[in-house]
Each structure stands twice: as C-alpha cells, then as structure tokens.
Amino acid sequence: MAEDEHREAPGPTEIRSQTVRTELLKAAVWLGLALLIGISIVLIQPILLIFAAIVVAAILDGGTRLLGRVLPIGRGWRLLIVCLSLVAFLVWTVMFAGSQIADQAATLQTVVMGQVERIAAWASEHGMGDLQFDTKTITDNIAGTVGRVTAAVGTVLGALTSLVMVVVLGIFIAIEPRLYERGVAWMLPMKSRENFYITTARMGFTLRRLMAGRLLGMVVEGIGTWLACLAVGIPMAALMGLLTGLLAFIPNIGAIVSGVLLVLVGFSAGTDAGLWAIAIYFIVQTVDGYLIVPMVAKQTVDLAPALVLGAQILFGALLGIMGLFLADPIVAMIKVALEREAERNAGAAKAKTTS
C-alpha cells in the first residue's frame, strides 16, 4: 500500500497524446530548420571564408597530386614543395616586378579617369547630356554593383587578415583532406555515408580540375597580355598583364573589366595603340575561350556561360565580392550534387521496375 502511495504519477506537462507528440516533433524540426537558415545568414561571411579555404585546399591538393606523377616522395613533402613554390613566385613577383607595378598602379587611376572624362566630353558634344564623372562617383557605383561587403573583408586590414586565414586553413585541409571528410561523415547516418563519400570524391575531382583550368587561363591571359602590350608599346604592360591574369579568375565579368581597362589605357597612348589593345583583348579571349575553356570543360562539369553569369550577379548582390569570386565553384559543386542525386533516383527507379 505504501509503495502505491509513493509511485510516480504523470504531471501536468506530460504529453500523453501520440498525435500531439508527433505534431510537436514536426514543429521542432521546422523550428530547427528556421534557426539553421537564420544562423547561416548571420554567419554567411565566415562560411564563405571556409569555402574559399576549401578552394585553396583543392588547388594545393591538385598541385600535390600532379607532382606525385613525376616525384615519388611522400605527400607531405610534395605539398611542402608546392607551398614553397607559390611563396617563391610571390616573392619573385614583389622583388622584380613590384616596384614597376606599383609605379604603374599610381598612374592607372589618372589615365582611366582622363579617358572617362574624354568620353563624357564627347558624349556632351553630341547631345547625349551633360555627363559629370569623378573618382568617388565611379567608386560608389562599382561598390553598389558588386554588392555589400561586410566588415569581415571591408577594410584593407580585414582583407589581409581574411586572406591569411583562408590560406592557413586551406593548407591544414590540404595536409589531410580525408581526416575532415571522415569527420563530417561520422555525423551522418550509416546508410548515408557511402553516398556522401561518392559525392565528395566527385566534388573534389571537379573542383581540382576546375581550379587547374582557371589557373591555366590566368597564366595564359596574364602573360599573353603582358608580352603583347610590350610588343606594341601599350603603356603599363606589366600592370595590364597582372590585372588581366587576376581578373581571369572571375569568368565573364573579369574579362569585361580587364578588357575595358586595357582599351582605355591603350587609347591613352594614341589611336594605333588603342586599336592594338582591342586586337590583343580579342586574341587573348579567343585563345582562352576556344582552347583552354573547352579543354577544361571536358574534364569537369560543363557550366553554361549564362548560368555562371547569373550566379555571379546573384551572389555578388547578396554576398559581396567574396560571393562574386566564389560563384563559379559554388555552382559547380551544386551541379555535381544534383547530378549525383539524379543518378541515385534513376538507380532506385530502375531497381524498383526490375523487382
């Protein structure tokens, strides 16, 4: 009798209805999903930095694998050689071309603004309105077109800090990529791990090839523009080659920006130099578009130019300069994941029909 008196009884918060329990579980899932989306929006810049580190890791990993074909040594030593080679190239660029590029960069703004003012004057003379341009107006318009840039990358110090963090994190990931892959897979259900490993393997392959093609295009466009500008006497040849090579990392938009700068600088030295600048631009872009891009596309996902441009506009407006730079790899990874999911669905449908 005493045991019955002290037996635990349901309290007022005890949910005894199975329907209520099911609905509360559904509500908790939706609430958790909403919180996850909110956290992702708040932390979008750190997430982009992490993805940028993954891109850097893919570049280092690709170089390490390529070096392994000719140099049968340990992976760690090959990765060290790749990292030291990149550092040596940067040091060489700063030591031998840094002063020249710095001098040319100091005059680039003056040259470009002078050309813009000439265009505005020509437009005014032909009845197209009284156009007034200054450096601040153009800078504000460019910033507005690119989209918002948060405090994480909004200052020079913040940009340098973010760049160092991306490179260091990318090196850590490239040292042992399988370690992090297994760590993420450990958090997934057992039945989902095999598909996860297949998808990530394809993503890694695609990202390595995509970045290899992008680096090849940057080298070809940068060196080609530099040598061609030197040959025909276009001013600031080294700076034009450097900017063209760097902007080649951004498909479509980068080519347009570098082309405009090249033509403006070319015409600042005369009509002949301006015409040569137009010819150089089209020759370099033709080589990249009809030789390098198709060669890379055969080894990776073939992304439609309109799809990439649309993604750049969207990510640039929503995420700023980081979204613009990473739009192409993000779209490629999404496409690989969707193709893998379509492959799984096709396999499941085929197994269902045969059974």
Side-chain angles (χ1 to χ4, degrees):
M1 191 68 173
E3 292 181 0
D4 293 338
E5 291 179 357
H6 294 285
R7 184 178 301 170
E8 294 288 345
T13 59
E14 183 74 20
I15 301 176
R16 307 180 68 178
S17 173
Q18 183 62 35
T19 302
V20 175
R21 291 179 181 177
T22 303
E23 294 302 322
L24 283 177
L25 181 60
K26 292 180 180 179
V29 171
W30 283 109
L31 179 60
L33 182 60
L35 290 175
L36 181 61
I37 294 175
I39 292 173
S40 299
I41 294 174
V42 173
L43 300 178
I44 188 62
Q45 289 295 338
I47 292 174
L48 285 178
L49 292 179
I50 293 173
F51 185 79
I54 294 175
V55 173
V56 172
I59 295 174
L60 297 177
D61 184 51
T64 303
R65 291 170 180 259
L66 184 63
L67 191 60
R69 297 182 179 181
V70 296
L71 199 60
I73 58 177
R75 174 184 171 82
W77 291 107
R78 286 184 277 124
L79 179 61
L80 180 61
I81 292 174
V82 172
C83 294
L84 291 178
S85 300
L86 292 176
V87 172
F89 172 75
L90 293 176
V91 171
W92 177 85
T93 302
V94 172
M95 290 180 60
F96 290 91
S99 58
Q100 181 183 5
I101 292 175
D103 294 338
Q104 293 178 0
T107 60
L108 177 62
Q109 178 179 333
T110 303
V111 171
V112 172
M113 287 306 303
Q115 293 297 90
V116 171
E117 290 173 359
R118 290 176 58 186
I119 295 173
W122 179 87
S124 300
E125 291 175 0
H126 290 76
M128 298 182 184
D130 188 12
L131 302 179
Q132 298 292 334
F133 294 99
D134 55 36
T135 305
K136 184 178 185 303
T137 301
I138 295 177
T139 303
D140 292 341
N141 290 334
I142 292 175
T145 303
V146 171
R148 64 181 180 88
V149 182
T150 61
V153 293
T155 63
V156 175
L157 180 60
L160 292 177
T161 304
S162 300
L163 179 61
V164 171
M165 292 174 60
V166 166
V167 172
V168 172
L169 184 58
I171 293 175
F172 282 139
I173 296 175
I175 291 174
E176 189 57 51
R178 291 284 297 175
L179 174 65
Y180 304 98
E181 185 182 27
R182 290 194 300 267
V184 176
W186 176 78
M187 295 184 290
L188 299 175
M190 291 291 294
K191 61 180 180 180
S192 303
R193 294 183 183 181
E194 181 181 0
N195 177 61
F196 171 77
Y197 284 127
I198 295 175
T199 304
T200 53
R202 293 184 181 180
M203 285 183 172
F205 174 82
T206 300
L207 192 57
R208 287 193 300 270
R209 294 299 179 92
L210 185 66
M211 291 299 101
R214 190 63 45 78
L215 292 176
L216 179 61
M218 292 171 65
V219 171
V220 170
E221 291 191 29
I223 295 179
T225 302
W226 172 49
L227 294 178
C229 289
L230 278 179
V232 301
I234 294 178
M236 295 177 283
L239 182 60
M240 288 297 98
L242 178 63
L243 290 177
T244 301
L246 292 177
L247 290 171
F249 186 84
I250 312 175
N252 304 320
I253 296 177
I256 296 173
V257 175
S258 63
V260 170
L261 291 176
L262 180 61
V263 171
L264 289 177
V265 172
F267 276 102
S268 70
T271 304
D272 292 340
L275 295 177
W276 272 115
I278 296 175
I280 291 171
Y281 171 75
F282 280 107
I283 292 173
V284 170
Q285 295 302 321
T286 300
V287 171
D288 184 53
Y290 288 94
L291 293 179
I292 297 176
V293 172
M295 179 179 64
V296 174
K298 291 179 181 179
Q299 304 293 334
T300 59
V301 289
D302 193 4
L303 299 176
L307 176 63
V308 176
L309 181 58
Q312 289 172 340
I313 295 173
L314 178 62
F315 289 133
L318 293 177
L319 307 176
I321 192 69
M322 288 291 293
L324 183 64
F325 270 92
L326 298 176
D328 195 24
I330 291 174
V331 172
M333 297 301 95
I334 293 175
K335 185 174 182 181
V336 171
L338 293 177
E339 288 177 345
R340 172 57 186 165
E341 188 64 24
E343 181 182 317
R344 290 183 61 205
N345 293 336
K350 183 178 180 181
K352 187 176 180 180
T353 55
T354 56
S355 60

